[in-house]
């Protein structure tokens, strides 16, 4: 603050200044904490409180879990927190029992990487970051119930994360019942013979390993050898959702490769249909719903079996089963498990030289090609490269409708991540198959009649012909003909034929893959799983939870050259032999035995999959959550058939990862009877981003934004011209502004008002520190309207306000209340500003009723100054729990409105009339107006259009 401004600010001893704001804000924050002002009572249990408050309609309001970064907060971070706080405060003042709290999502890569770099234990740095962030958030005056706060790294919390994992591990999805059921019920079916084993033997005749393998095919949490996303640069595997569109790690931007490893997975695919269908009942932005639908990727088609010489069949999923007669070769993903089983010892006689890749045997050709494919990311493999690569396996399959032998290739453009990892290639009608067929001189058959003049000989075509609006041709055998049918009818007919002949059936496929749940890191929740000497996984009994993360000397996973795809993970926990190798009595009747612990840890998403439930009942050490408490806050009710949090606010960047995972866990817990809500978050609101200008020098390096000077519309740093673009705010971009700076300069209430006034909450907007002063001046005018700056005395009077003031007040009450409920905080502030300016210009002391209503209007937005003024106005109770003002309808409606009268579309008169005037009365007044009579000049009237009370349009004859 300049010396001139400082002098002006301190001229009056009781003026609202930054120093006064700091004093007011600190005092009231201490008061709220001491009094438990924001504590929301549960209906029962240790957090039960005022039964009258608990009997009110509830409102559960949540922010997305913050990660406690070492850099602390910049002013962009609290945008959503302030918004939910304003909304929560308004809901309290409108008669709700409001649960609003905040915890910390504290496991994960950033803290671990910091530990590796500095030697600081990740718990130490994380707890220090939490302490700093808590202080920063407290300074903003956020009304959180602090009794309910926690961090995911607390063993009391992750005990229940591990417990949930065990519920999922001990469950299977019953497709007939369309829900998860305990695995014990499946075992009973196998034991009784109600469900046959895969090979028909009695369950009792199977070994323990065989039983475990069978159950693993059903469990909702299972370990398997499967292709995974391996990032050597990070030293860990990643879920599909953690790999960018460029085929790199979301965190760190390292290359990602396919590797085959044994990892834990969650069978989220079992819930694909329910995850899709239940989106319809959620109050979420359509853009987020669309992203989830696209990620789940439901497609209807058919499964088709192509017999291979020998005992195997290649199963494909296709959405164009109508083109089956046009399949002239097949392609397997290089990783497909059938490849080893079908390749012959030597090339078949007459194998085309271009198919062999120049290798002497199929085994050599396949091994070499697999190594090349493994070095590519999925994105690189799917790119529309001009040159298609692949190699013949040496095996042939039989097209089930034509009976023709078709060669089987492996090629990197087919992925294991979609369908069955195998395709029937119809090169005449698919662009990628067409390019591959040309490269390898494979036959093509036209089975969909082209709509252009290219003819039906694909050898003469320049590209494939793909159409859903065409007739089938060349598609008949002795038993079935598709010729002349449209695509829809042809699909139906061929699907019936495949089913009848036992070589396929209609089916649904999903893009969604099972959730890879293992991470080769230290800083995460340990799995509550041990392995016996036969490698069988056993769950720890609940009495052994939590399984705490052990202390280790070296936190770092083994990382490798980011480009070296031939590497494999080595976990930090595997180096702690005393922790890994244990003797335990699992209570299963086998007594103490030696076991080996799982040395992977859970992903950072695990803790955020269920944290909304812990907020409800944070001290419960006997149950995940008390059913009555969960039912009270999150249970299904009118308008929320699947239950969930009433309002969830956070960034759109979590559209898939966090939201999809949390929905999955909620559905499993609901199916097993642990919770009543089948969805975690009923209403989702995505706030925009606070952006900032980034200044870069000639080298493209960011320079400190605060030190850039503007001259004639150009920008200079230390005399050098720099570029300016609008982008993210962040420490690395040297444009971060901390909330502490703004609080020190103007006060937290000013920061809150400015962030809410910048624009619609769901729209990104640029930060401008110079504009903050506008909201500071609003608070100063508000203060002056109630308090004398010279004496500090309250200036209000106990007289009735005049009618004009009442109209201004009640219009503001009506508008601000509606805007608060609709989260239109920028327009609410505009209405408060308009009222405050009106009262300032009116002069004279305010009536007490007006002053009190004004303070209550601003209380959700600027709670510290409102609390101070409320106390100075003589009240002893906190403003937090006062009733929000209610508008008197008589004063909200204008006494008169202006009606425009047009003749031939041109304005000829303006009438001051009652807002409730009837159409007939308004028409009569308009036609009688002298100016209108003159404009008509005796002409007849063809039509009069009345839009009471604002418009009358007269059309002369």
């Amino acid at each position: 603050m300049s010396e001139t401004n400082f002098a002006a600010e301190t001229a009056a001893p009781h003026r609202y200044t930054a120093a006064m704001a700091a004093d007011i804000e600190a005092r009231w924050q201490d008061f709220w904490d001491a009094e438990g002002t924001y504590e929301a009572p549960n209906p029962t249990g240790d957090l039960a409180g005022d039964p009258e408050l608990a009997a009110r309609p509830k409102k559960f309001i949540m922010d997305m879990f913050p990660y406690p970064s070492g850099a602390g907060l910049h002013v962009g971070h609290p945008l959503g927190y302030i918004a939910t706080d304003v909304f929560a405060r308004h809901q309290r003042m409108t008669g709700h029992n409001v649960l609003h709290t905040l915890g910390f999502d504290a496991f994960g890569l950033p803290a671990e990487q910091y530990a590796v770099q500095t030697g600081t234990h990740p718990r130490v740095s994380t707890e220090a970051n939490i302490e700093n962030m808590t202080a920063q958030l407290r300074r903003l005056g956020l009304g959180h119930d602090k009794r309910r706060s926690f961090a995911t790294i607390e063993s009391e919390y992750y005990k229940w994360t591990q417990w949930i994992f065990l519920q999922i591990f001990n469950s299977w999805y019953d497709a007939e019942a369309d829900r998860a059921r305990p695995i014990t019920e499946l075992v009973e079916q196998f034991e009784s013979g109600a469900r046959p084993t895969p090979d028909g033997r009695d369950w009792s005749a199977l070994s323990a390993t065989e039983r475990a393998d069978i159950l693993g095919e059903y469990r909702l949490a299972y370990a398997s050898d499967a292709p995974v996303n391996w990032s050597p640069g990070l030293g860990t595997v990643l879920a599909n959702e953690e790999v960018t569109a460029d085929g790199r790690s979301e965190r760190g931007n390292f290359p990602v490769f396919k590797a085959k490893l044994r990892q834990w997975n969650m069978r989220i695919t079992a819930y694909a249909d329910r995850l899709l269908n239940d989106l319809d009942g959620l109050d979420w932005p359509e853009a987020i719903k669309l992203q989830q639908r696209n990620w789940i990727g439901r497609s209807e088609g058919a499964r088709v079996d192509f017999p291979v010489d020998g005992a195997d069949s290649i199963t494909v999923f296709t959405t164009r089963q109508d083109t089956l007669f046009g399949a002239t070769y097949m392609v397997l993903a290089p990783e497909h498990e059938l490849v080893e089983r079908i390749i012959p010892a030597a090339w078949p006689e007459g194998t085309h030289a271009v198919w062999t890749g120049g290798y002497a045997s199929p085994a050599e050709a396949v091994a070499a090609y697999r190594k090349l494919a493994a070095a590519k990311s999925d994105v690189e493999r799917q790119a529309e490269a001009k040159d298609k690569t692949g190699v013949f396996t040496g095996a042939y399959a039989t097209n089930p409708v034509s009976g023709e032998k078709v060669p089987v290739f492996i090629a990197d453009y087919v992925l294991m991540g979609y369908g069955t990892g195998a395709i029937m290639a119809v090169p005449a009608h698919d662009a990628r198959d067409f390019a591959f067929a040309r490269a390898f001189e494979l036959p093509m058959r036209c089975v969909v009649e082209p709509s252009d003049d290219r003819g039906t000989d694909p050898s003469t075509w320049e590209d494939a012909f793909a159409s859903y609006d065409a007739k089938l041709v060349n598609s008949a055998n002795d038993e079935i003909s598709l010729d002349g049918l449209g695509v829809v009818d042809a699909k139906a007919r061929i699907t019936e034929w495949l089913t009848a002949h036992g070589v396929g059936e209609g089916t649904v496929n999903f893009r969604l893959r099972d959730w890879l749940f293992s991470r080769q890191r230290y800083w995460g929740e340990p799995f509550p799983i041990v392995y016996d000497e036969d490698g069988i996984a056993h769950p720890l009994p609940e009495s052994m939870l939590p399984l705490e993360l052990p202390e280790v000397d070296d936190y770092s996973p083994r990382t490798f050259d980011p480009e070296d795809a031939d590497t494999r993970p080595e976990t930090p926990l595997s180096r702690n032999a005393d922790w890994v190798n244990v003797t335990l009595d699992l209570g299963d009747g086998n007594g103490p035995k030696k076991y080996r612990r799982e040395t992977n840890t859970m992903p950072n998403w695990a803790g955020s999959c269920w944290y909304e439930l812990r907020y409800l009942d944070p001290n419960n050490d006997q149950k995940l959550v008390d059913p009555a408490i969960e039912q009270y806050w999150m249970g299904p009710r009118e308008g929320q058939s699947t239950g969930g949090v009433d309002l969830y606010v956070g960034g759109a960047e979590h559209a898939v990862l966090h939201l999809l995972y949390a929905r999955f866990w909620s559905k499993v817990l609901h199916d097993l009877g642990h919770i009543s809500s089948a969805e975690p978050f009923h209403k989702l609101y995505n706030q925009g981003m606070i952006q900032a200008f980034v200044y870069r020098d000639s080298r493209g390096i960011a320079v400190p934004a605060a030190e850039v000077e503007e001259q004639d519309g150009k920008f200079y740093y230390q005399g050098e011209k720099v570029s300016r673009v609008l982008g993210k705010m962040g420490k690395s971009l040297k444009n971060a502004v901390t909330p502490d700076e703004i609080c020190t300069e103007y006060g937290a209430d000013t920061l809150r008002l400015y962030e809410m006034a910048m624009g619609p909450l769901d729209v990104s907007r640029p930060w401008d520190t110079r504009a903050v002063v506008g909201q500071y001046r609003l608070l100063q005018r508000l203060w002056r309207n109630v308090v004398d700056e010279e004496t500090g005395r309250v200036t209000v009077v106990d007289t009735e306000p005049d009618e004009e003031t009442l109209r201004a007040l009640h219009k503001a009450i009506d508008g601000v209340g509606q805007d608060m409920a609709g989260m239109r905080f920028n327009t609410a502030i505009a209405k408060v500003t308009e009222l405050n300016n009106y009262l300032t210009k009116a002069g004279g002391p305010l009536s007490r009723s007006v002053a009190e209503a004004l303070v209550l209007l601003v209380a959700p937005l600027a709670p510290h100054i409102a609390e101070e003024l409320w106390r100075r106005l003589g009240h002893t109770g906190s403003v937090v729990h006062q009733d929000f003002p209610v508008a008197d309808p008589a004063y909200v409606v204008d006494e008169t409105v202006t009606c425009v009268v047009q003749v031939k579309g041109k304005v000829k008169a303006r009438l001051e009339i009652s807002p409730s005037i009837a159409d007939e009365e308004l028409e009569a007044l308009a036609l009688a107006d002298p100016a209108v009579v003159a404009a008509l000049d005796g002409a007849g009237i063809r039509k009069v259009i009345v839009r009471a009370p604002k418009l009358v349009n007269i059309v002369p004859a």
Side-chain angles (χ1 to χ4, degrees):
M1 189 180 294
S2 70
E3 291 185 15
T4 304
N5 285 341
F6 181 79
E9 293 288 277
T10 56
H14 296 279
R15 176 167 293 175
Y16 183 82
T17 62
M20 178 182 283
D23 173 67
I24 289 171
E25 289 163 4
R27 280 192 292 106
W28 286 112
Q29 287 160 16
D30 290 342
F31 173 85
W32 294 329
D33 285 351
E35 296 295 317
T37 301
Y38 303 109
E39 292 177 359
N42 280 343
T44 186
D46 65 316
L47 298 186
D50 181 356
E52 186 178 329
L53 182 53
R56 293 181 177 184
K58 63 89 190 181
K59 194 68 73 172
F60 185 7
I61 299 165
M62 268 181 63
D63 303 276
M64 286 191 182
F65 235 179
Y67 189 88
S69 165
L73 298 176
H74 60 63
V75 292
H77 291 127
L79 176 67
Y81 306 149
I82 295 171
T84 51
D85 185 61
V86 173
F87 184 74
R89 290 175 180 277
H90 178 255
Q91 292 296 304
R92 284 191 195 93
M93 296 176 75
T94 52
H96 294 83
N97 182 22
V98 177
L99 169 52
H100 189 211
T101 190
L102 195 71
F104 297 92
D105 188 15
F107 275 126
L109 281 172
E112 184 175 286
Q113 288 173 324
Y114 183 77
V116 171
Q117 293 164 9
T118 65
T120 306
H121 194 287
R123 179 175 294 279
V124 173
S125 60
T126 300
E127 289 178 347
N129 294 343
I130 289 174
E131 185 177 354
N132 178 53
M133 190 169 173
T134 299
Q136 287 186 296
L137 291 171
R138 183 180 189 272
R139 194 171 181 182
L140 298 175
L142 302 177
H144 294 146
D145 185 343
K146 296 182 179 179
R147 304 170 303 166
R148 300 173 184 264
S149 185
F150 56 82
T152 56
I153 59 174
E154 297 166 7
S155 60
E156 298 86 354
Y157 179 81
Y158 70 72
K159 165 188 175 178
W160 294 105
T161 307
Q162 293 171 336
W163 182 88
I164 294 171
F165 174 84
L166 292 180
Q167 307 312 301
I168 300 173
F169 173 76
N170 286 319
S171 302
W172 64 292
Y173 199 84
D174 184 343
E176 292 184 6
D178 201 21
R179 66 177 181 87
R181 295 171 61 185
I183 200 74
T184 52
E185 296 181 12
L186 180 66
V187 172
E188 290 170 3
Q189 292 181 15
F190 281 125
E191 287 177 337
S192 68
R195 182 183 293 266
T197 61
D199 63 5
R201 287 186 292 160
D202 286 343
W203 186 253
S204 59
L206 303 180
S207 69
T209 301
E210 288 173 325
R211 293 178 189 178
D213 288 344
I214 291 172
L215 294 179
E217 295 298 315
Y218 290 86
R219 292 186 188 273
L220 288 178
Y222 64 95
S224 69
D225 292 312
V228 296
N229 301 304
W230 164 237
S231 175
L234 282 177
T236 190
V237 298
L238 302 169
N240 289 344
E241 294 86 350
E242 295 172 299
V243 181
T244 68
D246 298 323
R248 304 178 76 85
S249 62
E250 185 181 53
R251 191 174 293 278
N253 197 37
F254 290 108
V256 175
F257 306 98
K258 284 296 181 187
K260 199 166 188 178
L261 300 169
R262 190 162 187 82
Q263 303 288 297
W264 281 99
N265 296 270
M266 292 276 180
R267 207 178 299 274
I268 191 173
T269 50
Y271 283 82
D273 269 323
R274 283 172 62 184
L275 289 168
L276 267 178
N277 296 337
D278 286 355
L279 282 170
D280 294 337
L282 300 181
D283 185 3
W284 286 18
E286 281 304 317
I288 301 297
K289 289 185 179 183
L290 180 62
Q291 287 184 67
Q292 290 224 347
R293 289 188 181 107
N294 288 343
W295 190 262
I296 296 168
R298 187 181 194 276
S299 54
E300 295 186 13
R303 172 185 62 77
V304 186
D305 296 328
F306 286 70
V308 181
D309 294 338
D312 288 304
S313 286
I314 298 174
T315 299
V316 304
F317 170 80
T318 176
T319 59
R320 289 301 303 269
Q321 61 268 39
D322 56 302
T323 64
L324 185 52
F325 282 93
T328 58
Y329 67 96
M330 302 190 76
V331 183
L332 301 180
E335 306 87 356
H336 202 291
E337 62 178 8
L338 276 179
V339 174
E340 288 93 342
R341 299 212 298 266
I342 65 174
I343 53 177
W347 294 116
E349 187 176 345
T351 296
H352 199 318
V354 75
W355 296 3
T356 68
Y359 291 92
S361 70
E364 292 175 84
V366 166
Y369 188 79
R370 278 180 153 180
K371 187 171 184 178
L372 287 173
K376 294 182 180 180
S377 69
D378 283 0
V379 173
E380 289 173 316
R381 287 172 57 168
Q382 288 184 296
E384 295 294 336
K386 186 175 181 180
D387 298 324
K388 293 296 179 190
T389 64
V391 70
F392 180 41
T393 63
Y396 285 85
T398 302
N399 184 320
V401 291
S402 69
E404 294 177 354
K405 296 287 187 181
V406 294
V408 181
F409 286 75
I410 60 171
D412 59 13
Y413 77 93
V414 176
L415 305 176
M416 283 302 300
Y418 180 77
T420 63
I423 67 164
M424 62 175 209
V426 184
H429 307 294
D430 180 273
R432 293 190 304 171
D433 295 347
F434 185 94
F436 191 90
R438 279 285 164 88
F440 288 87
E441 301 177 20
L442 288 157
M444 292 188 263
R445 178 179 297 112
C446 173
V447 294
V448 179
E449 188 173 40
S451 56
D452 51 26
D453 59 0
R454 67 175 67 196
T456 58
D457 180 4
S459 66
T460 65
W461 297 356
E462 294 183 3
D463 55 16
F465 173 76
S467 175
Y468 281 86
D469 185 21
K471 300 294 183 184
L472 274 294
V473 295
N474 302 323
S475 298
N477 62 26
D478 292 340
E479 298 179 1
I480 185 174
S481 174
L482 306 181
D483 292 346
L485 295 179
V487 170
V488 174
D489 291 339
K491 281 185 176 184
R493 184 170 295 183
I494 193 65
T495 300
E496 290 176 8
W497 188 91
L498 291 168
T499 304
H501 286 73
V503 291
E505 63 181 347
T507 189
V508 174
N509 195 61
F510 295 91
R511 178 180 180 269
L512 180 68
R513 298 293 91 192
D514 281 344
W515 173 16
L516 180 67
F517 201 68
S518 297
R519 296 296 180 274
Q520 291 67 46
R521 311 294 301 206
Y522 166 70
W523 195 231
E525 298 94 334
F527 282 92
I529 293 289
V530 292
Y531 299 92
D532 63 21
E533 58 187 9
D534 295 321
I536 298 173
H538 296 267
L540 291 181
E542 188 176 330
S543 61
M544 290 186 182
L545 302 182
L547 172 59
E548 297 195 22
L549 194 63
E551 295 294 323
V552 297
D553 295 327
D554 182 5
Y555 324 114
S556 54
R558 186 178 178 190
T559 57
F560 303 89
D561 179 343
E563 303 289 344
D564 189 352
D566 290 331
T567 51
R568 289 297 179 266
E570 178 187 296
T571 65
L573 291 180
S574 67
R575 298 192 285 265
N576 188 337
D578 291 341
W579 183 82
V580 174
N581 301 302
V582 290
T583 299
L584 301 172
D585 183 349
L586 299 182
D588 54 5
N590 293 319
K593 289 180 61 178
K594 291 183 178 180
Y595 295 97
R596 175 177 52 84
R597 294 196 192 278
E598 171 63 69
T599 60
N600 289 310
T601 54
M602 299 186 198
N604 64 298
W605 306 105
S608 60
C609 274
W610 72 279
Y611 71 120
E612 70 282 354
L613 297 172
R614 191 62 175 175
Y615 283 153
L616 307 182
D617 197 12
N619 304 318
N620 198 332
D621 61 359
Q622 300 300 311
K623 291 183 178 180
L624 177 72
V625 60
D626 184 295
I629 295 172
E630 188 272 336
Q631 175 72 46
Y632 174 83
W633 288 111
M634 290 184 62
R637 62 203 65 223
E638 186 176 354
Q640 299 183 20
S641 61
T642 50
V645 173
D646 296 291
L647 175 66
Y648 193 39
V649 175
E653 65 272 17
H654 295 292
V656 173
L657 287 144
H658 159 59
L659 292 173
L660 200 60
Y661 297 157
R663 295 182 64 215
F664 166 53
W665 277 35
S666 284
K667 291 186 183 302
V668 177
L669 292 171
H670 171 75
D671 286 356
L672 298 177
H674 299 300
I675 58 176
S676 65
S677 49
E679 285 284 342
F681 314 115
H682 173 70
K683 180 178 176 64
L684 174 68
Y685 190 100
N686 297 132
Q687 88 272 16
M689 183 188 301
I690 290 183
Q691 300 170 304
F693 287 111
V694 183
Y695 299 89
R696 297 185 183 276
D697 61 20
S698 57
R699 301 167 297 169
I701 296 175
V703 301
E707 299 175 31
V708 172
E709 297 178 348
E710 182 177 357
Q711 299 175 16
D712 301 325
K714 295 181 174 58
F715 304 94
Y716 297 87
Y717 172 67
Q718 296 181 348
E720 179 190 350
K721 187 177 177 182
V722 293
S723 64
R724 183 181 82 162
V725 294
L726 191 61
K728 288 185 177 181
M729 182 180 287
K731 188 175 180 181
S732 63
L733 297 173
K734 300 182 180 178
N735 62 355
V737 178
T738 69
D740 308 66
E741 296 172 56
I742 304 302
C743 289
T744 299
E745 187 79 6
Y746 299 105
D749 280 339
T750 294
L751 173 62
R752 291 170 60 102
L753 279 174
Y754 176 65
E755 293 214 1
M756 294 299 95
M758 291 171 73
L761 183 60
D762 58 350
V763 175
S764 295
R765 73 293 302 270
W767 176 268
D768 183 359
T769 299
R770 295 168 301 180
V772 176
V773 71
Q775 301 307 318
Y776 182 51
R777 298 303 180 207
L778 166 61
L779 294 180
Q780 289 184 314
R781 288 192 295 271
L782 170 66
W783 182 265
R784 280 196 298 270
N785 274 329
V786 180
V787 176
D788 186 295
E789 291 184 335
E790 295 295 334
T791 64
R793 291 196 297 268
V794 171
T795 58
V796 302
V797 293
D798 293 318
T799 59
E800 289 300 313
D802 58 44
E803 186 166 326
E804 187 178 350
T805 299
L806 285 172
R807 289 194 179 281
L809 174 64
H810 285 276
K811 282 186 178 180
I813 291 171
D814 181 60
V816 172
Q818 291 186 47
D819 287 345
M820 291 280 192
M823 300 182 71
R824 298 183 296 273
F825 304 127
N826 60 319
T827 54
I829 292 170
K831 292 179 175 71
V832 169
T833 303
E834 184 180 357
L835 173 62
N836 196 50
N837 289 345
Y838 167 83
L839 297 173
T840 301
K841 290 175 183 175
L846 296 186
S847 297
R848 175 174 291 277
S849 61
V850 174
E852 291 182 347
L854 178 61
V855 169
L856 292 171
L857 283 181
V858 83
L861 294 155
H864 307 91
I865 192 173
E867 193 77 89
E868 180 73 14
L869 291 174
W870 190 249
R871 184 58 60 94
R872 291 191 181 218
L873 285 165
H875 300 282
T876 55
S878 170
V879 74
V880 170
H881 292 289
Q882 301 306 309
D883 291 338
F884 197 79
V886 177
D888 184 337
Y891 292 113
V892 173
V893 178
D894 287 329
E895 197 168 16
T896 62
V897 296
T898 301
C899 176
V900 173
V901 183
Q902 296 178 334
V903 178
K904 292 184 179 180
K906 294 183 178 180
V907 177
K908 295 299 180 183
R910 286 181 170 85
L911 308 176
E912 293 299 317
I913 53 148
S914 167
S916 58
I917 192 170
D919 286 2
E920 298 80 5
E921 184 182 355
L922 180 55
E923 180 179 338
L925 285 173
L927 292 175
D929 185 89
V932 173
V933 172
L936 290 170
D937 194 23
I941 298 172
R942 183 158 61 91
K943 184 188 294 185
V944 178
I945 301 168
V946 180
R947 298 285 185 267
K950 296 292 184 72
L951 175 68
V952 176
N953 191 10
I954 301 168
V955 182

